[in-house]
Amino acid sequence: MNAGARYERYKAIVDRLVERSHFVLADIQRACPGERPAFVTRLVNELVEGGWLVREDDSPGQNYRWNKGRGEFPASRWLDEKLFSTQIKESPQHDRPRERLIAVGAENLRVAELLAILIRSGRPGESAVMAGEKLAREYQHRLQELPAAGRGELKSITPAVETTAWCQIMAGIELGRRIAALSNRSAATRITSAADAIEFCRRHFARLASDSRQEEFHIVTLDTKNQVIDTHRITIGTLDASLVHPREVFRPAIKDAAASVILVHNHPSGDATPSQEDFAVTRRLESAGELLGIKVLDHIVLGSGSAISIRESG
């Protein structure tokens, strides 16, 4: 019997069980006329051994109830773990992603293995390992596009990516981004030139350049030694001089006690060439900064694979 058929066989019985808060075993056996009574009994006993069901007495009627102390029974997850985790357990230990991660470290795992760990459990006919392989093949030449993939897009590639698996993948990606951003920020000790500003912004705002679908306007705050203090997102949407208000831009700079700032925004089109509006926004904020005693060092425009300094562009 293939995995899909086994899944449906177990699910048919579990569906009858979760409909009831308590039941007599014989009633469940009658409610599953196409199934052998012994198989129904075995499944119920597994739930008793797992602590999900409690046998109320030793009478011939064999009465059972759900164990409220364990909370609501997670039927789908229980079925996944029972039927699909064994597909990985039965494989050689060196081929199991989690065991390999423990043995050799995450940095030595293939993309497919990392995805399998995030997906965690499979679906009828498809294990988490198989799902990871499918996603890795689909994105092997465009992995940078994975963060922008929606649930429907990934599920069309593999049915194993339900809402939970998609959330786990996206959470893993975002956590990696934030760690990388902190590492990049500490690496850029000082920004003393347009080249330094471009390099810092390309690293720290890599997400904007690679997969943002809207314009975002950020600032980088710096101290008197031109060392990075922090970064702040100011607006999301089309950059417009009338919308980027100096008050909103310089409020976090004042809070950081910044001596200067770098303005940063992206062009979702991928072309980093500054527009006339970009120059207008820069001039307006430079003027406001002079009044506040906070210098605008530069304005970096990010595109796909490129970045341009408005200061250098004149």
Side-chain angles (χ1 to χ4, degrees):
M1 182 181 294
N2 62 38
R6 290 181 66 236
Y7 184 93
E8 293 303 326
R9 184 183 185 189
Y10 275 85
K11 184 175 184 299
I13 301 171
V14 170
D15 285 347
R16 300 289 80 78
L17 293 174
V18 297
E19 292 172 351
R20 301 163 167 82
S21 59
H22 59 277
F23 58 86
V24 176
L25 180 60
D27 291 341
I28 299 298
Q29 292 171 336
R30 283 192 292 270
C32 304
E35 190 52 77
R36 291 184 294 108
F39 183 75
V40 175
T41 301
R42 190 174 74 199
L43 191 153
V44 168
N45 287 337
E46 287 182 24
L47 292 172
V48 171
E49 292 172 5
W52 292 109
L53 285 176
V54 176
R55 187 169 179 175
E56 293 186 325
D57 53 50
D58 295 325
S59 66
Q62 294 182 301
N63 300 317
Y64 296 86
R65 60 177 172 80
W66 290 104
N67 183 2
K68 294 181 179 179
R70 286 210 62 178
E72 186 177 353
F73 175 58
S76 296
R77 191 179 73 193
W78 185 85
L79 288 166
D80 288 344
E81 291 177 352
K82 174 170 181 57
L83 298 173
F84 298 117
S85 62
T86 55
Q87 296 180 25
I88 296 178
K89 291 176 182 176
E90 290 168 358
S91 63
Q93 185 165 349
H94 62 270
D95 287 338
R96 304 178 204 166
R98 284 192 290 271
E99 282 79 355
R100 273 182 40 76
L101 186 149
I102 294 169
V104 302
E107 68 276 10
N108 292 307
L109 266 60
R110 296 179 298 113
V111 171
E113 294 173 307
L114 295 172
L115 287 168
I117 291 172
L118 291 170
I119 292 168
R120 189 169 173 269
S121 60
R123 284 294 177 270
E126 186 155 307
S127 69
V129 172
M130 295 164 62
E133 294 286 355
K134 282 187 175 181
L135 290 180
R137 283 196 300 270
E138 179 68 25
Y139 286 93
Q140 60 180 330
H141 299 305
R142 53 188 185 98
L143 193 59
Q144 72 280 3
E145 296 179 16
L146 184 58
R151 284 176 292 174
E153 182 178 348
L154 296 189
K155 190 173 181 181
S156 69
I157 298 169
T158 167
V161 181
E162 296 283 0
T163 300
T164 299
W166 181 81
C167 289
Q168 288 167 176
I169 291 171
M170 293 301 137
I173 291 171
E174 183 58 28
L175 180 60
R177 278 175 168 170
R178 295 187 186 187
I179 293 172
L182 289 172
S183 300
N184 291 338
R185 183 183 303 170
S186 62
T189 55
R190 295 186 69 195
I191 295 179
T192 59
S193 66
D196 290 344
I198 288 173
E199 179 61 23
F200 174 82
C201 291
R202 289 183 68 172
R203 291 199 318 262
H204 186 84
F205 298 102
R207 177 185 62 83
L208 292 184
S210 64
D211 57 56
S212 181
R213 298 178 183 179
Q214 296 186 78
E215 285 194 15
E216 294 186 21
F217 185 84
H218 297 243
I219 66 166
V220 181
T221 55
L222 304 101
D223 63 18
T224 55
K225 295 182 180 180
N226 284 357
Q227 294 176 330
V228 174
I229 300 172
D230 207 345
T231 63
H232 304 271
R233 184 170 66 185
I234 307 301
T235 64
I236 299 177
T238 303
L239 192 65
D240 187 296
S242 64
L243 299 178
V244 182
H245 197 285
R247 178 181 61 245
E248 304 305 322
V249 173
F250 288 101
R251 179 182 290 140
I254 294 170
K255 184 178 179 181
D256 287 352
S260 58
V261 297
I262 295 172
L263 314 176
V264 188
H265 85 283
N266 65 308
H267 284 178
S269 66
D271 182 1
T273 303
S275 67
Q276 291 303 311
E277 191 64 35
D278 296 340
F279 285 105
V281 167
T282 306
R283 288 192 295 269
R284 184 183 186 208
L285 294 177
E286 282 178 335
S287 298
E290 288 177 5
L291 293 174
L292 294 169
I294 300 175
K295 185 177 182 180
V296 174
L297 290 182
D298 208 336
H299 186 169
I300 306 300
V301 184
L302 300 170
S304 179
S306 63
I308 292 178
S309 160
I310 284 184
R311 178 75 66 195
E312 282 194 334
S313 300

